[in-house]
Structure formats: C-alpha cells, structure tokens
Amino acid sequence: MIDQTEKDRWAGVFTALVTPFRDGEIDLPAFDALVERQIVAGVAGLVPVGTTGEAATLSDAEAVALIERTVRIAAGRALVVAGAGSNDTGKTVAKVRAAEKAGADAVLVVTPYYNKPTQAGLIAHYDAVAAATGRPVMLYSVPGRCGVEIAPATCAELMARRANVFVIKEAGGSVERVTRLRAACGDDLIVHSGDDGLTLPFLALGAVGVTSVVANVAPEAMVALVAAWRRGDRAEALRLHESLADLIAAMFVESNPGPVKAALALAGEIAPDMRLPLVPVAASTRELLAGLLDPRTVTGRAA
C-alpha cells in the first residue's frame, strides 16, 4: 500500500523539460535557467530527457549530464523523474540504472515503440525494468507515439509484482481511461495526465497531477490550475483551464516539442533549434504562438 506521503510527492505539475540546443550542442545555461524558473514557479516535479526533451537524439552521456544537472539544481525542491525508456529492454535497464546513479528520484519509462509488444511483452519488459532499480518506475502509456497502450489489467499485474510500480503517465487522450485504470488497480495507483488539455477532467476523475509540456512556457498558470482544484476552488480551476486552452492546443499543431520550443524562443529563453529529423516550426505556427503569448514576453531574442 502506498502511503499518503508518497502520494503527496506525486501531486501537482511535473514539467516535461525541453532540451535547449544551440549550434548543435546542448545550451546548458538556458537549460539551467529553465529548470530554476520551473522550481520558482512551484512545480512539484521535473522530467528531463523525456519525449519533450528529444531523448531519442541525445547520447547516453548527454542524457546523464542533463539528469545530473536537474538533480543538482533541484536540490530537493522538486521531484526529479528521469526519462529512461527505449524499445529494447536491455538498453532500458541500462538507462534506468544510469538515471538512478545520476540521482534521479524516479524514472519515466515509455512503452517500447516500433516493436509493438503484446501485453505479455509489456509485463515482461516493465517487470525486468522495475527489478533493476529501487526507484519508482512511472509507466508511460502513449499509444499515439508508440502504437501500443498499457491495458488496465497489465498495470494491475505490474503493481502486484513490483512495489516500485504505482504511478502512470496516461497520454492516450481518453478521460475514460482514468476510471478503467483505477477500477483495475485501486486507490494505490497514482495517475498523471499526459495531455495538458485533459488535466482538469483527469483531476476530477481521480488523477493527482499532470506531466506537462505547456508548463515550460506557463508554469505559474498550470501550478495554479492544479492547486485550485486541490483546494476545492472548482470555478478558479475551470477559469484557468479555459484561459490556457488555446495555448495548450497550439503546443501540438506540429510535433512536440517544436511549438513549445518556438514559444520559449519568442520569449527569449532558448533558441528554437531542434535535432533532425525534427526541424523548427513553420512561420505560420510561430505567428500563431506569438498571438497567444503575453506581448510583454515576446522578444524574439533567441530566434
């Protein structure tokens, strides 16, 4: 059984951090500033080297360096959940062990992509991964990217097998999945929304937080939304949800993290650079984002 203290550690906004690049290399000062801004805004967690962090194009050394920097800057002020997934179980185990050694509080492990394993394959994969670490393993179901979702029964089986499996990032785009997951797994399962726009309905159905892309740009608003819901101010939570709706939608008009990097670039915080095969967003997307951001923040300095 997961105690309330552990549940509280996972409540709130966890920012899926972008990885700033400049001239092909990681822009470490920009990354450090981004992490500090998130903490000051009150996020509960930081998620380096995930999908939004372009983990697929990072070397193992780069990934470890970013995890270590996040841990050092966070200094216990926020939970650090390191992206550590791949489509090879052996490689995933190695990534998880490296993340643990780097000081991560937990690991985020996406379902194996391209392979499209069966549910039996997912059980075997996550069981091997969870056995390799003493850190909590955050399951990550995102069928739109990986082609397979974690079935509720699979989640329940993994929780029964491994004490460090008790949290899931659910990014299948279905609010109804929260109810099915909780029905299969019970109250010990901690659910995060993996879709910013579904944060409020997920919370209403029993989720405790969100692993957020838009928080890179608007951490204060996302933190305020979740906090309003948790203190029972439904009207304020709804107001904040509606105020963020257009910006959240714009985050996904092109492949993530293109739009969120463009928004941060418009605010002068990072360059819009990405690693191939991803490229910076089209001019039309940039114009859309500029129209949605606070004009006082749009500088274009990093463009």
PDB file of all heavy atoms in Angstrom, residues 241-273:
ATOM      1  N   HIS A 241      -8.233  26.632 -16.681  1.00  0.00           N
ATOM      2  CA  HIS A 241      -8.287  25.660 -17.773  1.00  0.00           C
ATOM      3  C   HIS A 241      -8.689  26.340 -19.077  1.00  0.00           C
ATOM      4  O   HIS A 241      -8.052  26.148 -20.129  1.00  0.00           O
ATOM      5  CB  HIS A 241      -9.278  24.547 -17.421  1.00  0.00           C
ATOM      6  CG  HIS A 241      -9.685  23.692 -18.575  1.00  0.00           C
ATOM      7  ND1 HIS A 241      -8.929  22.635 -19.041  1.00  0.00           N
ATOM      8  CD2 HIS A 241     -10.785  23.747 -19.381  1.00  0.00           C
ATOM      9  CE1 HIS A 241      -9.533  22.077 -20.069  1.00  0.00           C
ATOM     10  NE2 HIS A 241     -10.660  22.733 -20.289  1.00  0.00           N
ATOM     11  N   GLU A 242      -9.726  27.151 -19.013  1.00  0.00           N
ATOM     12  CA  GLU A 242     -10.211  27.822 -20.224  1.00  0.00           C
ATOM     13  C   GLU A 242      -9.229  28.879 -20.720  1.00  0.00           C
ATOM     14  O   GLU A 242      -9.054  29.063 -21.936  1.00  0.00           O
ATOM     15  CB  GLU A 242     -11.588  28.427 -19.956  1.00  0.00           C
ATOM     16  CG  GLU A 242     -12.656  27.357 -19.759  1.00  0.00           C
ATOM     17  CD  GLU A 242     -14.014  27.916 -19.366  1.00  0.00           C
ATOM     18  OE1 GLU A 242     -14.072  29.095 -18.919  1.00  0.00           O
ATOM     19  OE2 GLU A 242     -15.011  27.187 -19.495  1.00  0.00           O
ATOM     20  N   SER A 243      -8.544  29.536 -19.797  1.00  0.00           N
ATOM     21  CA  SER A 243      -7.592  30.570 -20.205  1.00  0.00           C
ATOM     22  C   SER A 243      -6.371  29.971 -20.896  1.00  0.00           C
ATOM     23  O   SER A 243      -5.713  30.637 -21.706  1.00  0.00           O
ATOM     24  CB  SER A 243      -7.155  31.401 -18.993  1.00  0.00           C
ATOM     25  OG  SER A 243      -6.287  30.657 -18.150  1.00  0.00           O
ATOM     26  N   LEU A 244      -6.068  28.715 -20.596  1.00  0.00           N
ATOM     27  CA  LEU A 244      -4.900  28.047 -21.181  1.00  0.00           C
ATOM     28  C   LEU A 244      -5.231  27.228 -22.423  1.00  0.00           C
ATOM     29  O   LEU A 244      -4.318  26.761 -23.117  1.00  0.00           O
ATOM     30  CB  LEU A 244      -4.269  27.114 -20.144  1.00  0.00           C
ATOM     31  CG  LEU A 244      -3.457  27.765 -19.028  1.00  0.00           C
ATOM     32  CD1 LEU A 244      -3.241  26.770 -17.889  1.00  0.00           C
ATOM     33  CD2 LEU A 244      -2.121  28.259 -19.563  1.00  0.00           C
ATOM     34  N   ALA A 245      -6.508  27.052 -22.708  1.00  0.00           N
ATOM     35  CA  ALA A 245      -6.930  26.085 -23.729  1.00  0.00           C
ATOM     36  C   ALA A 245      -6.304  26.346 -25.097  1.00  0.00           C
ATOM     37  O   ALA A 245      -5.809  25.419 -25.756  1.00  0.00           O
ATOM     38  CB  ALA A 245      -8.454  26.068 -23.836  1.00  0.00           C
ATOM     39  N   ASP A 246      -6.310  27.589 -25.554  1.00  0.00           N
ATOM     40  CA  ASP A 246      -5.775  27.877 -26.890  1.00  0.00           C
ATOM     41  C   ASP A 246      -4.262  27.680 -26.944  1.00  0.00           C
ATOM     42  O   ASP A 246      -3.720  27.160 -27.931  1.00  0.00           O
ATOM     43  CB  ASP A 246      -6.132  29.306 -27.316  1.00  0.00           C
ATOM     44  CG  ASP A 246      -7.602  29.471 -27.648  1.00  0.00           C
ATOM     45  OD1 ASP A 246      -8.288  28.444 -27.852  1.00  0.00           O
ATOM     46  OD2 ASP A 246      -8.076  30.624 -27.686  1.00  0.00           O
ATOM     47  N   LEU A 247      -3.567  28.075 -25.884  1.00  0.00           N
ATOM     48  CA  LEU A 247      -2.119  27.898 -25.848  1.00  0.00           C
ATOM     49  C   LEU A 247      -1.768  26.415 -25.812  1.00  0.00           C
ATOM     50  O   LEU A 247      -0.847  25.969 -26.517  1.00  0.00           O
ATOM     51  CB  LEU A 247      -1.532  28.612 -24.631  1.00  0.00           C
ATOM     52  CG  LEU A 247      -0.007  28.524 -24.479  1.00  0.00           C
ATOM     53  CD1 LEU A 247       0.702  29.144 -25.674  1.00  0.00           C
ATOM     54  CD2 LEU A 247       0.439  29.203 -23.186  1.00  0.00           C
ATOM     55  N   ILE A 248      -2.506  25.648 -25.041  1.00  0.00           N
ATOM     56  CA  ILE A 248      -2.260  24.209 -24.977  1.00  0.00           C
ATOM     57  C   ILE A 248      -2.476  23.574 -26.346  1.00  0.00           C
ATOM     58  O   ILE A 248      -1.664  22.757 -26.800  1.00  0.00           O
ATOM     59  CB  ILE A 248      -3.163  23.552 -23.923  1.00  0.00           C
ATOM     60  CG1 ILE A 248      -2.686  23.941 -22.512  1.00  0.00           C
ATOM     61  CG2 ILE A 248      -3.186  22.038 -24.081  1.00  0.00           C
ATOM     62  CD1 ILE A 248      -3.629  23.527 -21.404  1.00  0.00           C
ATOM     63  N   ALA A 249      -3.553  23.948 -27.007  1.00  0.00           N
ATOM     64  CA  ALA A 249      -3.826  23.391 -28.333  1.00  0.00           C
ATOM     65  C   ALA A 249      -2.698  23.725 -29.301  1.00  0.00           C
ATOM     66  O   ALA A 249      -2.293  22.898 -30.136  1.00  0.00           O
ATOM     67  CB  ALA A 249      -5.159  23.913 -28.861  1.00  0.00           C
ATOM     68  N   ALA A 250      -2.159  24.941 -29.191  1.00  0.00           N
ATOM     69  CA  ALA A 250      -1.088  25.369 -30.089  1.00  0.00           C
ATOM     70  C   ALA A 250       0.199  24.593 -29.865  1.00  0.00           C
ATOM     71  O   ALA A 250       1.037  24.497 -30.768  1.00  0.00           O
ATOM     72  CB  ALA A 250      -0.824  26.863 -29.920  1.00  0.00           C
ATOM     73  N   MET A 251       0.365  24.020 -28.678  1.00  0.00           N
ATOM     74  CA  MET A 251       1.574  23.248 -28.382  1.00  0.00           C
ATOM     75  C   MET A 251       1.688  21.996 -29.237  1.00  0.00           C
ATOM     76  O   MET A 251       2.752  21.385 -29.334  1.00  0.00           O
ATOM     77  CB  MET A 251       1.605  22.834 -26.907  1.00  0.00           C
ATOM     78  CG  MET A 251       1.781  23.958 -25.893  1.00  0.00           C
ATOM     79  SD  MET A 251       3.395  24.782 -25.964  1.00  0.00           S
ATOM     80  CE  MET A 251       2.978  26.253 -26.905  1.00  0.00           C
ATOM     81  N   PHE A 252       0.581  21.616 -29.878  1.00  0.00           N
ATOM     82  CA  PHE A 252       0.576  20.346 -30.605  1.00  0.00           C
ATOM     83  C   PHE A 252       0.103  20.485 -32.049  1.00  0.00           C
ATOM     84  O   PHE A 252      -0.284  19.502 -32.670  1.00  0.00           O
ATOM     85  CB  PHE A 252      -0.275  19.326 -29.835  1.00  0.00           C
ATOM     86  CG  PHE A 252       0.244  19.103 -28.436  1.00  0.00           C
ATOM     87  CD1 PHE A 252      -0.317  19.783 -27.365  1.00  0.00           C
ATOM     88  CD2 PHE A 252       1.325  18.266 -28.206  1.00  0.00           C
ATOM     89  CE1 PHE A 252       0.189  19.615 -26.078  1.00  0.00           C
ATOM     90  CE2 PHE A 252       1.837  18.097 -26.924  1.00  0.00           C
ATOM     91  CZ  PHE A 252       1.259  18.765 -25.855  1.00  0.00           C
ATOM     92  N   VAL A 253       0.164  21.699 -32.596  1.00  0.00           N
ATOM     93  CA  VAL A 253      -0.188  21.862 -34.007  1.00  0.00           C
ATOM     94  C   VAL A 253       0.912  21.295 -34.906  1.00  0.00           C
ATOM     95  O   VAL A 253       0.682  21.004 -36.077  1.00  0.00           O
ATOM     96  CB  VAL A 253      -0.463  23.335 -34.373  1.00  0.00           C
ATOM     97  CG1 VAL A 253      -1.686  23.852 -33.642  1.00  0.00           C
ATOM     98  CG2 VAL A 253       0.743  24.210 -34.086  1.00  0.00           C
ATOM     99  N   GLU A 254       2.109  21.156 -34.362  1.00  0.00           N
ATOM    100  CA  GLU A 254       3.195  20.421 -35.008  1.00  0.00           C
ATOM    101  C   GLU A 254       3.769  19.473 -33.963  1.00  0.00           C
ATOM    102  O   GLU A 254       3.442  19.559 -32.785  1.00  0.00           O
ATOM    103  CB  GLU A 254       4.278  21.369 -35.539  1.00  0.00           C
ATOM    104  CG  GLU A 254       3.827  22.263 -36.670  1.00  0.00           C
ATOM    105  CD  GLU A 254       4.981  23.027 -37.315  1.00  0.00           C
ATOM    106  OE1 GLU A 254       6.104  22.466 -37.385  1.00  0.00           O
ATOM    107  OE2 GLU A 254       4.756  24.184 -37.733  1.00  0.00           O
ATOM    108  N   SER A 255       4.641  18.592 -34.408  1.00  0.00           N
ATOM    109  CA  SER A 255       5.183  17.587 -33.495  1.00  0.00           C
ATOM    110  C   SER A 255       5.873  18.238 -32.302  1.00  0.00           C
ATOM    111  O   SER A 255       6.691  19.141 -32.451  1.00  0.00           O
ATOM    112  CB  SER A 255       6.187  16.696 -34.221  1.00  0.00           C
ATOM    113  OG  SER A 255       5.550  15.946 -35.235  1.00  0.00           O
ATOM    114  N   ASN A 256       5.510  17.760 -31.112  1.00  0.00           N
ATOM    115  CA  ASN A 256       6.175  18.171 -29.881  1.00  0.00           C
ATOM    116  C   ASN A 256       7.636  17.698 -29.942  1.00  0.00           C
ATOM    117  O   ASN A 256       7.898  16.571 -30.352  1.00  0.00           O
ATOM    118  CB  ASN A 256       5.453  17.520 -28.698  1.00  0.00           C
ATOM    119  CG  ASN A 256       6.071  17.832 -27.364  1.00  0.00           C
ATOM    120  OD1 ASN A 256       6.376  18.958 -27.054  1.00  0.00           O
ATOM    121  ND2 ASN A 256       6.273  16.789 -26.565  1.00  0.00           N
ATOM    122  N   PRO A 257       8.594  18.569 -29.559  1.00  0.00           N
ATOM    123  CA  PRO A 257       8.484  19.844 -28.859  1.00  0.00           C
ATOM    124  C   PRO A 257       8.658  21.084 -29.741  1.00  0.00           C
ATOM    125  O   PRO A 257       9.045  22.141 -29.212  1.00  0.00           O
ATOM    126  CB  PRO A 257       9.615  19.755 -27.850  1.00  0.00           C
ATOM    127  CG  PRO A 257      10.705  19.058 -28.611  1.00  0.00           C
ATOM    128  CD  PRO A 257       9.989  18.048 -29.471  1.00  0.00           C
ATOM    129  N   GLY A 258       8.383  20.986 -31.018  1.00  0.00           N
ATOM    130  CA  GLY A 258       8.566  22.140 -31.888  1.00  0.00           C
ATOM    131  C   GLY A 258       7.860  23.397 -31.416  1.00  0.00           C
ATOM    132  O   GLY A 258       8.489  24.452 -31.239  1.00  0.00           O
ATOM    133  N   PRO A 259       6.541  23.325 -31.182  1.00  0.00           N
ATOM    134  CA  PRO A 259       5.833  24.533 -30.765  1.00  0.00           C
ATOM    135  C   PRO A 259       6.263  25.084 -29.416  1.00  0.00           C
ATOM    136  O   PRO A 259       6.386  26.301 -29.246  1.00  0.00           O
ATOM    137  CB  PRO A 259       4.369  24.084 -30.758  1.00  0.00           C
ATOM    138  CG  PRO A 259       4.317  22.978 -31.755  1.00  0.00           C
ATOM    139  CD  PRO A 259       5.615  22.248 -31.562  1.00  0.00           C
ATOM    140  N   VAL A 260       6.505  24.217 -28.438  1.00  0.00           N
ATOM    141  CA  VAL A 260       6.897  24.734 -27.120  1.00  0.00           C
ATOM    142  C   VAL A 260       8.280  25.372 -27.191  1.00  0.00           C
ATOM    143  O   VAL A 260       8.542  26.395 -26.551  1.00  0.00           O
ATOM    144  CB  VAL A 260       6.821  23.640 -26.035  1.00  0.00           C
ATOM    145  CG1 VAL A 260       7.872  22.562 -26.223  1.00  0.00           C
ATOM    146  CG2 VAL A 260       6.961  24.264 -24.645  1.00  0.00           C
ATOM    147  N   LYS A 261       9.162  24.827 -28.016  1.00  0.00           N
ATOM    148  CA  LYS A 261      10.468  25.466 -28.186  1.00  0.00           C
ATOM    149  C   LYS A 261      10.319  26.807 -28.894  1.00  0.00           C
ATOM    150  O   LYS A 261      11.008  27.786 -28.549  1.00  0.00           O
ATOM    151  CB  LYS A 261      11.406  24.549 -28.978  1.00  0.00           C
ATOM    152  CG  LYS A 261      12.067  23.489 -28.130  1.00  0.00           C
ATOM    153  CD  LYS A 261      13.219  22.821 -28.873  1.00  0.00           C
ATOM    154  CE  LYS A 261      14.207  22.218 -27.905  1.00  0.00           C
ATOM    155  NZ  LYS A 261      15.381  21.624 -28.575  1.00  0.00           N
ATOM    156  N   ALA A 262       9.423  26.888 -29.860  1.00  0.00           N
ATOM    157  CA  ALA A 262       9.196  28.151 -30.548  1.00  0.00           C
ATOM    158  C   ALA A 262       8.653  29.200 -29.590  1.00  0.00           C
ATOM    159  O   ALA A 262       9.045  30.373 -29.636  1.00  0.00           O
ATOM    160  CB  ALA A 262       8.233  27.948 -31.717  1.00  0.00           C
ATOM    161  N   ALA A 263       7.750  28.781 -28.706  1.00  0.00           N
ATOM    162  CA  ALA A 263       7.188  29.722 -27.731  1.00  0.00           C
ATOM    163  C   ALA A 263       8.266  30.221 -26.775  1.00  0.00           C
ATOM    164  O   ALA A 263       8.334  31.420 -26.460  1.00  0.00           O
ATOM    165  CB  ALA A 263       6.058  29.049 -26.956  1.00  0.00           C
ATOM    166  N   LEU A 264       9.111  29.326 -26.313  1.00  0.00           N
ATOM    167  CA  LEU A 264      10.204  29.731 -25.432  1.00  0.00           C
ATOM    168  C   LEU A 264      11.194  30.642 -26.149  1.00  0.00           C
ATOM    169  O   LEU A 264      11.759  31.564 -25.559  1.00  0.00           O
ATOM    170  CB  LEU A 264      10.925  28.499 -24.884  1.00  0.00           C
ATOM    171  CG  LEU A 264      10.157  27.685 -23.842  1.00  0.00           C
ATOM    172  CD1 LEU A 264      10.827  26.322 -23.624  1.00  0.00           C
ATOM    173  CD2 LEU A 264      10.032  28.435 -22.527  1.00  0.00           C
ATOM    174  N   ALA A 265      11.384  30.395 -27.440  1.00  0.00           N
ATOM    175  CA  ALA A 265      12.270  31.256 -28.228  1.00  0.00           C
ATOM    176  C   ALA A 265      11.673  32.643 -28.393  1.00  0.00           C
ATOM    177  O   ALA A 265      12.386  33.654 -28.309  1.00  0.00           O
ATOM    178  CB  ALA A 265      12.527  30.623 -29.600  1.00  0.00           C
ATOM    179  N   LEU A 266      10.375  32.707 -28.594  1.00  0.00           N
ATOM    180  CA  LEU A 266       9.711  34.004 -28.703  1.00  0.00           C
ATOM    181  C   LEU A 266       9.867  34.811 -27.416  1.00  0.00           C
ATOM    182  O   LEU A 266       9.932  36.043 -27.443  1.00  0.00           O
ATOM    183  CB  LEU A 266       8.230  33.806 -29.023  1.00  0.00           C
ATOM    184  CG  LEU A 266       7.909  33.425 -30.472  1.00  0.00           C
ATOM    185  CD1 LEU A 266       6.488  32.900 -30.593  1.00  0.00           C
ATOM    186  CD2 LEU A 266       8.106  34.627 -31.396  1.00  0.00           C
ATOM    187  N   ALA A 267       9.948  34.106 -26.299  1.00  0.00           N
ATOM    188  CA  ALA A 267      10.142  34.769 -25.010  1.00  0.00           C
ATOM    189  C   ALA A 267      11.610  35.042 -24.712  1.00  0.00           C
ATOM    190  O   ALA A 267      11.940  35.574 -23.650  1.00  0.00           O
ATOM    191  CB  ALA A 267       9.537  33.924 -23.896  1.00  0.00           C
ATOM    192  N   GLY A 268      12.488  34.680 -25.642  1.00  0.00           N
ATOM    193  CA  GLY A 268      13.911  34.944 -25.482  1.00  0.00           C
ATOM    194  C   GLY A 268      14.619  34.015 -24.516  1.00  0.00           C
ATOM    195  O   GLY A 268      15.726  34.314 -24.064  1.00  0.00           O
ATOM    196  N   GLU A 269      13.999  32.870 -24.188  1.00  0.00           N
ATOM    197  CA  GLU A 269      14.579  31.980 -23.187  1.00  0.00           C
ATOM    198  C   GLU A 269      15.513  30.932 -23.780  1.00  0.00           C
ATOM    199  O   GLU A 269      16.457  30.497 -23.102  1.00  0.00           O
ATOM    200  CB  GLU A 269      13.468  31.312 -22.384  1.00  0.00           C
ATOM    201  CG  GLU A 269      12.638  32.312 -21.579  1.00  0.00           C
ATOM    202  CD  GLU A 269      11.641  31.622 -20.663  1.00  0.00           C
ATOM    203  OE1 GLU A 269      11.940  30.519 -20.179  1.00  0.00           O
ATOM    204  OE2 GLU A 269      10.559  32.192 -20.444  1.00  0.00           O
ATOM    205  N   ILE A 270      15.236  30.474 -24.987  1.00  0.00           N
ATOM    206  CA  ILE A 270      16.080  29.480 -25.641  1.00  0.00           C
ATOM    207  C   ILE A 270      16.099  29.782 -27.132  1.00  0.00           C
ATOM    208  O   ILE A 270      15.340  30.625 -27.625  1.00  0.00           O
ATOM    209  CB  ILE A 270      15.565  28.033 -25.423  1.00  0.00           C
ATOM    210  CG1 ILE A 270      14.252  27.805 -26.189  1.00  0.00           C
ATOM    211  CG2 ILE A 270      15.404  27.717 -23.940  1.00  0.00           C
ATOM    212  CD1 ILE A 270      13.815  26.348 -26.235  1.00  0.00           C
ATOM    213  N   ALA A 271      16.958  29.087 -27.860  1.00  0.00           N
ATOM    214  CA  ALA A 271      16.886  29.098 -29.314  1.00  0.00           C
ATOM    215  C   ALA A 271      15.830  28.081 -29.744  1.00  0.00           C
ATOM    216  O   ALA A 271      15.548  27.132 -29.012  1.00  0.00           O
ATOM    217  CB  ALA A 271      18.240  28.746 -29.917  1.00  0.00           C
ATOM    218  N   PRO A 272      15.256  28.230 -30.929  1.00  0.00           N
ATOM    219  CA  PRO A 272      14.243  27.276 -31.381  1.00  0.00           C
ATOM    220  C   PRO A 272      14.836  26.002 -31.961  1.00  0.00           C
ATOM    221  O   PRO A 272      14.112  25.155 -32.480  1.00  0.00           O
ATOM    222  CB  PRO A 272      13.494  28.071 -32.452  1.00  0.00           C
ATOM    223  CG  PRO A 272      14.537  28.960 -33.038  1.00  0.00           C
ATOM    224  CD  PRO A 272      15.420  29.353 -31.879  1.00  0.00           C
ATOM    225  N   ASP A 273      16.162  25.839 -31.872  1.00  0.00           N
ATOM    226  CA  ASP A 273      16.865  24.736 -32.526  1.00  0.00           C
ATOM    227  C   ASP A 273      16.348  23.375 -32.068  1.00  0.00           C
ATOM    228  O   ASP A 273      16.040  23.166 -30.890  1.00  0.00           O
ATOM    229  CB  ASP A 273      18.359  24.803 -32.221  1.00  0.00           C
ATOM    230  CG  ASP A 273      19.010  26.101 -32.695  1.00  0.00           C
ATOM    231  OD1 ASP A 273      18.280  27.083 -32.913  1.00  0.00           O
ATOM    232  OD2 ASP A 273      20.239  26.124 -32.823  1.00  0.00           O
TER     233      ASP A 273
END
